[in-house]
Amino acid sequence: MYVGRFVIVAPDFAAYRVSSRSFPNRRIVDRDGVLTVGPTPDAPETDNPYISYNCVREGGDGVVVGNGSHVDPIAEKLDRGYPARDAVASALLALDYEKDDYDTPRVAGVVGDRSSVGIVRKDALVVKSVTEPTLVATYEEDEPRPIDFGGGDPEGIARRAYDLPFEHAVCAAGVTYGDGDVAVGFHNGE
């Protein structure tokens, strides 16, 4: 099953995975603790604004994970003291779903103080607080739901997200959060 990009958010860890049929030549790079999705050196040139973005970024008392340009405003709202749920809801509502050929939803989550996960689709905005690992994806799995997914170190989290049995895995990120300590990792496939 193809679910597109997805996030998994728990109280003390999160994961993000890029799955793509259209733009598989992407990777995650670490830029001083901010994880960024971008094209590989051999990727064809494109003017698509949805190809490159920060997918993991600290903000306030948490870490944001997500599939697009909304990650930065969520982190900025957390820096200004917004509760996680409000930061996710307001940024998703403001930026709305992606205006591409598929009306791609935006997914995001915050791990940290009052972990939350959300999605904005063409037909709805859904944001939920989480107390257990919760998945939401751009397609098919577009309603937050619990998932059996354990924690661990960031690289292990990224690898497990990458290995989940959803089609067209490209790269994945993992993050842990505990008592204000943040660690990030990623996996760019084989």
Side-chain angles (χ1 to χ4, degrees):
M1 172 172 37
Y2 180 67
V3 299
R5 274 74 57 220
F6 66 82
V7 297
I8 297 171
V9 179
D12 59 350
F13 71 87
Y16 171 67
R17 187 175 105 178
V18 176
S19 306
S20 180
R21 296 179 288 214
S22 305
F23 297 99
N25 296 356
R26 287 188 272 177
R27 64 181 177 173
I28 295 175
V29 296
D30 186 340
R31 297 177 4 182
D32 296 323
V34 174
L35 299 184
T36 303
V37 173
T40 59
D42 61 337
E45 287 197 33
T46 180
D47 60 355
N48 186 317
Y50 304 118
I51 298 302
S52 298
Y53 52 88
N54 293 331
C55 66
V56 174
R57 179 177 163 189
E58 282 188 68
D61 292 328
V63 182
V64 182
V65 296
N67 73 319
S69 61
H70 53 286
V71 167
D72 294 328
I74 294 170
E76 291 162 6
K77 289 179 182 308
L78 293 173
D79 285 339
R80 289 193 295 257
Y82 279 61
R85 182 186 63 99
D86 296 352
V88 170
S90 61
L92 289 178
L93 184 62
L95 290 169
D96 210 3
Y97 61 92
E98 295 178 1
K99 305 305 190 275
D100 60 7
D101 293 340
Y102 307 103
D103 295 331
T104 301
R106 292 180 188 264
V107 295
V110 174
V111 58
D113 185 38
R114 297 188 179 163
S115 296
S116 297
V117 67
I119 183 171
V120 63
R121 307 182 306 249
K122 190 173 182 177
D123 67 338
L125 168 68
V126 179
V127 180
K128 295 185 175 187
S129 295
V130 301
T131 57
E132 61 186 322
T134 302
L135 173 132
V136 66
T138 56
Y139 309 114
E140 301 296 325
E141 296 280 353
D142 64 354
E143 185 73 29
R145 69 162 176 89
I147 184 172
D148 184 18
F149 192 94
D153 65 66
E155 290 80 15
I157 291 168
R159 180 61 194 238
R160 280 197 316 284
Y162 183 90
D163 288 340
L164 284 173
F166 300 120
E167 296 174 354
H168 302 290
V170 173
C171 53
V175 60
T176 57
Y177 181 91
D179 296 326
D181 292 328
V182 174
V184 299
F186 57 91
H187 178 73
N188 283 321
E190 302 306 324

